[in-house]
Structures are given as C-alpha cells and as structure tokens.
Amino acid sequence: MVSSSHEALHHFGQKDTAGLIRNFQKLFHVPFPEPCGFAVLNTDLTEIEPVERRVDSLVRVNTKEGDYLLVLESQGKKDERKRGSWPYYLSYLYEEYRCEPVLIVMTQSSSTARWAAQPIRFGLPGWSSLVVRPMVLGPDNVPVITDEKEAELNVSLAVLSAITHGKGPRAAAILGPLAAALDTIDPTSAALFVQLVTSGLVDDQAKEIWRDLMSPVNYFFRHPVAEKTRDEGRIEERIKMTLRTLELRGLQVPDSVRLRVKACSDLDQLEVWSERAVRVTEAAELFDDDGV
C-alpha cells in the first residue's frame, strides 16, 4: 500500500520542480541549465506487452539548452527489482521523448539511500554496456534546517528537509523554523507546502507538533487545498473509528465490509456508519438503510 509519506516525496518534486532543481544543484554540485518551463507528464510506461511499468512522477523541464525529463522515484525500502526497472524507465523514456532522462530517488531512510545510490552496471566486468547513476536525496545529504533565517532563505529546501527527515525525531526541530518561514511566502504556495509536510511526516511527536503549529494559521485553513487535507484526515479517523468499534464489540468484520468502509470518502455517510457500529449485531448491518 502506498503511504502518504511516499506520495509526499515525489509530489514535492512535481509541485516544486524549480525548487528541487536548485536544491540538487546545491547538494550534488551538478550543473543544470536554467529552466524556462515545466510540464508534468503521464507516468505510465506500459508497452503493448502486458507488463505494467509506472514511475512515481515525471516532469519535463524546458531549458534553452534542450529538454530534460526528471524521473522522480520515492523509495521507502530496498527493492532489488528497481535495479532492473530504473534502467528500463530511462531507456524507454529516451526512446519515447528523445530528451535526456534524469533519475532522482527520494527516501526517508539512510540505508535505502545508500542502496539506491549504488551505480547499476550491466555488461562485462570492466566493460559496462550500461551504467545508471541515480541522484539520491535522503537523510544523509539533505540538511536538517533548524535555523529560522536559513529556512526563510530557502523555504523549498526547508520543506524538503522536513519531509526527508519525517520518519525520525530530528523532524520536530525543523518544524518551528519552517512554520515561521512559510509566513514569508505567498499563501497559495505555503498551503501547498503545508499539505506536503503534513503527508510526509511519520514521527508521531513531529506530527503532533506540526498540528499545533498549523492550528492558528488562518490562511492555511481558508485555502481549498488545506481544507481538503483536513477533511481527508477526518475521513481517515472516522474509518478507523467505525472498524475499531466493530472489532472491540467482538464482531467479525468480513473483508467486503472492511473494503467498503475504507473506500468511502463521504464524511456524512461515515458518520452514520460509525453510529450504527455501536448497535449492529453483524458488521454487514452497517449498510442497512433502516439503521438496524
């Protein structure tokens, strides 16, 4: 199952591509032509043969020196299948678009980052026919930004810092300076960054601190993107409450019931089901129109 933190990593690169490019220029000292346009592309790389291949995010970057494809992969753990998938992605994309693909792997795990950074070599010993060198952004090379002025100078990097370190206790120290820095940029961009950080945090203490920091920020709650994020949180809590109530009452919860509850995105309907969960005698009765 894809987690919210997985989605936050590659969506950061998709939503703030210019910031991502500036940051990997700074972190990797890799030259990249000045972008003059961006286009988010279809992530489906499936060919006629029934083998599905899909990247996490794919962004075309236009520069005066030519176009580049940023292949953004969010990696939660080691997966040896990627050693075959990633070269395939790059070769396919070059053939499809005839412009240079750049593989950027983003992770919240130091061990996964070290694994992903290893060059992928195909061919004879000492004579590689193909070499893939991913650019990896992870906890070991994305700085922990805990200084407010530093966060204000590069809000994008501060956001990336919070997400990348979102699994560990260091995330908590980043959030205060980041919250202050968000006040210095336009509300629309700030609301988007808040959504990404909210999704990217895994550490429980950090998530609680972030909720407290964001509660008084009026522009955040007025923004439709942020309202959607808040509603999604309420929906998730109501789903958990409904299923947990059934389980605590000792009722058997079939997969069909569990899947239907989890698939619901109507908060009002979930409210009805959570109330019914207190009194039904069988889990399937949640869906009875008469409310038995």
Side-chain angles (χ1 to χ4, degrees), residues 54-199:
R54 194 178 298 272
V55 298
D56 288 330
S57 284
L58 181 62
V59 182
R60 186 169 190 153
V61 182
N62 310 121
T63 79
K64 292 181 179 179
E65 300 178 23
D67 291 358
Y68 292 85
L69 295 174
L70 299 189
V71 184
L72 307 175
E73 284 281 280
S74 179
Q75 197 66 28
K77 59 183 180 181
K78 300 176 184 178
D79 183 355
E80 289 301 325
R81 293 174 299 178
K82 293 291 187 177
R83 313 300 286 183
S85 299
W86 287 337
Y88 169 87
Y89 295 166
L90 302 181
S91 299
Y92 175 88
L93 289 168
Y94 181 79
E95 182 67 20
E96 177 73 13
Y97 294 98
R98 287 296 168 178
C99 56
E100 300 295 340
V102 180
L103 175 60
I104 301 173
V105 180
M106 311 168 81
T107 182
Q108 295 176 312
S109 164
S110 294
S111 60
T112 301
R114 290 191 293 271
W115 165 81
Q118 298 172 8
I120 303 168
R121 304 180 188 276
F122 292 149
L124 297 170
W127 190 282
S128 299
S129 299
L130 175 67
V131 180
V132 174
R133 295 180 59 201
M135 300 176 68
V136 182
L137 294 170
D140 293 340
N141 63 354
V142 174
V144 177
I145 297 181
T146 58
D147 180 77
E148 187 174 318
K149 290 183 178 179
E150 186 180 357
E152 290 178 4
L153 287 173
N154 192 340
V155 179
S156 178
L157 183 58
V159 171
L160 181 60
S161 178
I163 298 173
T164 305
H165 297 281
K167 272 191 173 180
R170 292 187 293 180
I174 302 170
L175 300 179
L178 173 57
L182 290 174
D183 280 333
T184 66
I185 63 176
D186 68 277
T188 300
S189 297
L192 175 60
F193 283 149
V194 169
Q195 181 192 25
L196 290 170
V197 173
T198 301
S199 299

Side-chain angles (χ1 to χ4, degrees), residues 235-276:
I235 288 170
E236 185 176 351
E237 289 177 2
R238 192 61 59 184
I239 288 171
K240 290 180 179 178
M241 179 184 297
T242 301
L243 295 175
R244 186 61 175 158
T245 299
L246 295 172
E247 292 167 352
L248 288 174
R249 294 184 59 220
L251 299 179
Q252 185 176 6
V253 184
D255 289 342
S256 58
V257 172
R258 194 178 300 275
L259 290 172
R260 183 171 174 180
V261 173
K262 288 184 175 181
C264 182
S265 58
D266 185 332
L267 187 58
D268 291 337
Q269 180 63 74
L270 288 168
E271 292 279 1
V272 172
W273 288 346
S274 66
E275 292 173 4
R276 291 180 184 173

